[in-house]
Amino acid sequence: MSTPGRGPATAGTSTGIRLHAPAPGWSVDADVVVVGSGVAGLTAALRCAAAGRRTVVVTKARLDDGSTRWAQGGIAAALGDGDTPEQHLDDTLVAGAGLCDEAAVRLLVTEGPDAVRRLIAEGAVFDTSAETGEIELTREGGHHRRRIAHAGGDATGAEISRALVEAVQAAGIETVENALVLDLLLDARGRTAGVTLHVMGEGQHDGVGAVHAPAVILATGGMGQVFSATTNPSVSTGDGVALALRAGAEVSDLEFVQFHPTVLFLGADAEGQQPLVSEAVRGEGAYLVDADGVRFMTGQHELAELAPRDIVAKGIMRRMQEQGTEHMYLDARHFGARMWEQRFPTILAACRSHGIDPVTEPIPVAPAAHYASGGVRTDLHGRTTVPGLYACGEVACTGVHGANRLASNSLLEGLVFAERIADEIIGNPPAGNGPGIPVPATGPLQPAEARYEIQRIMTDGAGVLRSAASLATAAAALEALYATALTELETRGKTAVPGTETWEATNLLCVARVLVAAAQRRAETRGCHWREDHPDRDDAAWRRHLVVRLSATERRALVVTSTDSADFPPVQIPLSTDSLER
């Protein structure tokens, strides 16, 4: 259930909830613990370590196994001749459909170019022109200029990950791999004191342990695994958002899940991570067509196939509905074999591995869950409403993306805000220095098999197309899963056996409940939130943000509040005398 409220509350008070888990059997002390090893996490770690802060990186798989390495298209920044941060800002604001925080966007686009140059200095190698030696730039949806830097043709994320992982290893930063973060440790005054985590497999540490630190940076990536089909890797189970909610933090705009319009269609029953066909393919001139070869995006938007992603995804879905089909096609046969092999080798190989040759035939595509525009609410320095807890990258909601992320702004956001978080920690170290106070586990664990039920519920009720009826059905089904487990715990003292699969299923249920509650409240269509029963954008009623937190009392109800305007609400940090008003 959700409980209405009036405006964002001052959070930071623990909900008293944590995951059922064994007591930590080992511990590590640090100044900063970074949870996640994508562009955001490793950038923050390198900067903190360079300033002499003892930094520990915790990552769920291997250092190079997060969402960053899967990014094909590139990183957006005003690096080209004639392009300016102001033009980049304008494109971002348009894509965000009236809900971007302009101060955050302006910071992103002005600090972005130099941040990319520092990334290059760190060792990242981007594709350059053979004639000029300058970085080659391409276009993607929503961009009016070529401003997307790419590497290895369509392997930008892999190159960025390689460079940052090598830099972290060269710097000797301590890392804990194959570790699922469980919960935030808080001291007696409610300030961050570290995290508990479970290490899966071999290594220096094993089982449940703790990293004690007054500063925790969440860079855990997305939550795409809440849906049956997604471009996200299997580790993207919303762990950071769920941890933050249990710790008392606020999340915002979680209803805005971007569905990438061109994901390789592998069948209606395909589940798990699906191959992405980068927007850069359309940026280089590929067309979206139906089975008859008709370009259906022409006339729907001035940029046609390069319209913002929400518009293209809706265009594909409408055509599918009109024709009663399960997918559309992306036609890039006119590229020829040489361009496919040189510019898009990763996509070419993925298609061919599934029996499709884009050199000679159109690629079947359909939208799939891709990116969470919302997340843990932060200020311009990445601070959350829990003192000492920071967030950056996809897990965070900085206000940059609004109702729909502009293509290739995600890597840039992770880069820029990670640097800002590190500078904040270095310049204003968190005051927390006490030991973490154990909190009794009061929330039930979901059985491992609940993961697939949650994915089915979310795909059916809260996917690309939503309505009051579909969302109500989803909310009831999710609540039933939660209530059944809670009753079992409260009446019989039983819960699912603690372990990686049950912790992940519990985190997925947490973020699914929040997403559906926010989507039910937002009775309009805006950005990547599409309500069939409210097909129009309603600025008078809904040009504002939804903020959600967990209640510490009402059987762990969700408290959903609305801001009074489109301005991103200030982050109020308890126990802090220098809270930044945005």
Side-chain angles (χ1 to χ4, degrees):
M1 63 173 289
S2 64
T3 301
R6 297 181 57 195
T10 298
T13 304
S14 174
T15 62
I17 308 170
R18 71 171 176 85
L19 294 172
H20 284 264
W26 55 270
S27 65
V28 172
D29 293 325
D31 298 317
V32 182
V33 55
V34 178
V35 186
S37 60
V39 62
L42 296 188
T43 297
L46 284 165
R47 207 169 179 94
C48 287
R53 302 299 187 272
R54 184 180 177 191
T55 303
V56 174
V57 175
V58 173
T59 186
K60 195 171 178 181
R62 299 189 307 274
L63 271 182
D64 63 350
D65 236 5
S67 292
T68 290
R69 69 180 280 244
W70 297 99
Q72 295 174 344
I75 186 168
L79 297 167
D81 291 340
D83 196 7
T84 65
E86 197 69 24
Q87 293 175 64
H88 190 181
L89 180 142
D90 289 344
D91 285 344
T92 301
L93 295 180
V94 169
L99 282 187
C100 295
D101 179 64
E102 188 167 342
V105 178
R106 190 170 297 279
L107 183 155
L108 177 84
V109 299
T110 54
E111 296 187 7
D114 283 342
V116 173
R117 295 183 184 102
R118 285 189 289 274
L119 181 61
I120 294 170
E122 202 69 70
V125 179
F126 290 94
D127 295 340
T128 57
S129 167
E131 291 77 25
T132 66
E134 298 293 320
I135 294 177
E136 286 186 330
L137 301 173
T138 189
R139 281 180 67 193
E140 291 184 356
H143 294 272
H144 281 79
R145 283 190 175 273
R146 285 183 170 264
R147 65 168 65 96
I148 316 299
H150 51 85
D154 57 0
T156 310
E159 170 57 21
I160 290 174
S161 181
R162 178 206 60 77
L164 291 176
V165 167
E166 289 183 4
V168 163
Q169 292 171 336
I173 296 174
E174 183 174 355
T175 61
V176 183
E177 295 182 299
N178 301 307
L180 169 63
V181 67
L182 299 176
D183 279 301
L184 192 71
L185 289 170
L186 299 172
D187 66 16
R189 297 190 63 192
R191 295 178 296 203
T192 294
V195 293
T196 56
L197 61 155
H198 175 73
V199 178
M200 305 166 280
E202 299 178 1
Q204 182 179 355
H205 307 293
D206 192 25
V208 175
V211 180
H212 299 289
V216 172
I217 302 174
L218 291 179
T220 52
M223 56 183 196
Q225 289 290 327
V226 78
F227 295 96
S228 296
T230 176
T231 63
N232 290 189
S234 61
V235 295
S236 297
T237 51
D239 307 322
V241 171
L243 173 149
L245 281 164
R246 290 192 295 269
E250 295 175 347
V251 302
S252 188
D253 299 348
L254 219 62
E255 67 271 32
F256 297 116
V257 175
Q258 184 179 87
F259 287 76
H260 198 289
T262 54
V263 175
L264 184 62
F265 181 75
L266 299 180
D269 297 327
E271 295 181 342
Q273 186 177 10
Q274 309 292 301
L276 176 67
V277 181
S278 170
E279 198 144 325
V281 177
R282 280 174 281 141
E284 296 293 349
Y287 307 131
L288 279 167
V289 298
D290 60 21
D292 297 322
V294 177
R295 286 184 63 187
F296 55 88
M297 285 304 300
T298 302
Q300 291 199 33
H301 189 276
E302 61 168 331
L303 296 176
E305 283 88 358
L306 284 177
R309 288 178 177 174
D310 63 308
I311 294 172
V312 179
K314 290 171 187 174
I316 291 174
M317 292 298 295
R318 287 194 187 100
R319 196 66 158 193
M320 286 164 53
Q321 287 179 323
E322 291 169 3
Q323 299 189 341
T325 59
E326 296 177 324
H327 63 83
M328 289 287 113
Y329 294 93
L330 187 65
D331 192 349
R333 289 174 291 179
H334 53 285
F335 284 5
R338 182 178 180 185
M339 181 173 176
W340 268 111
E341 291 163 359
Q342 293 183 352
R343 180 67 178 86
F344 301 111
T346 306
I347 299 170
L348 178 63
C351 289
R352 285 178 170 170
S353 72
H354 290 284
I356 299 156
D357 188 350
V359 177
T360 60
E361 61 186 315
I363 306 167
V365 294
H370 183 59
Y371 190 88
S373 294
V376 184
R377 199 162 74 82
T378 75
D379 65 14
L380 296 181
H381 294 274
R383 301 185 299 182
T384 74
T385 48
V386 176
L389 179 65
Y390 306 80
C392 55
E394 189 173 354
V395 71
C397 184
T398 62
V400 160
H401 303 307
N404 183 45
R405 174 179 68 97
L406 181 66
S408 287
N409 267 358
S410 51
L411 291 176
L412 189 71
E413 183 200 29
L415 191 63
V416 168
F417 282 88
E419 290 187 343
R420 293 184 67 82
I421 287 174
D423 291 346
E424 173 68 15
I425 291 172
I426 294 164
N428 299 288
N433 200 24
I437 307 300
V439 177
T442 56
L445 290 179
Q446 291 294 312
E449 59 269 20
R451 175 177 184 140
Y452 306 102
E453 180 66 9
I454 293 164
Q455 291 172 336
R456 183 195 63 77
I457 291 167
M458 293 299 290
T459 299
D460 291 345
V464 181
L465 296 176
R466 302 167 179 174
S467 67
S470 75
L471 290 166
T473 299
L478 294 172
E479 185 60 30
L481 288 176
Y482 180 75
T484 298
L486 184 62
T487 299
E488 189 76 359
L489 177 65
E490 292 180 342
T491 61
R492 302 179 61 188
K494 292 186 176 182
T495 191
V497 177
T500 300
E501 293 181 341
T502 57
W503 290 322
E504 286 185 333
T506 303
N507 287 339
L508 284 172
L509 180 61
C510 177
V511 297
R513 292 176 68 219
V514 173
L515 192 162
V516 169
Q520 285 183 292
R521 285 286 294 273
R522 185 170 291 281
E524 65 158 355
T525 290
R526 181 186 299 272
C528 51
H529 172 67
W530 186 6
R531 286 281 297 265
E532 291 182 283
D533 52 332
H534 294 280
D536 299 319
R537 173 170 155 175
D538 184 355
D539 281 352
W542 285 110
R543 192 163 177 245
R544 58 195 65 195
H545 301 270
L546 290 173
V547 178
V548 185
R549 58 186 172 85
L550 288 184
S551 169
T553 55
E554 301 175 38
R555 287 173 64 89
R556 315 311 172 199
L558 304 176
V559 181
V560 185
T561 59
S562 174
T563 61
D564 295 326
S565 71
D567 295 335
F568 206 68
V571 169
Q572 303 290 349
I573 306 175
L575 311 175
S576 174
T577 59
D578 62 344
S579 179
L580 179 65
E581 297 265 331
R582 290 177 46 154

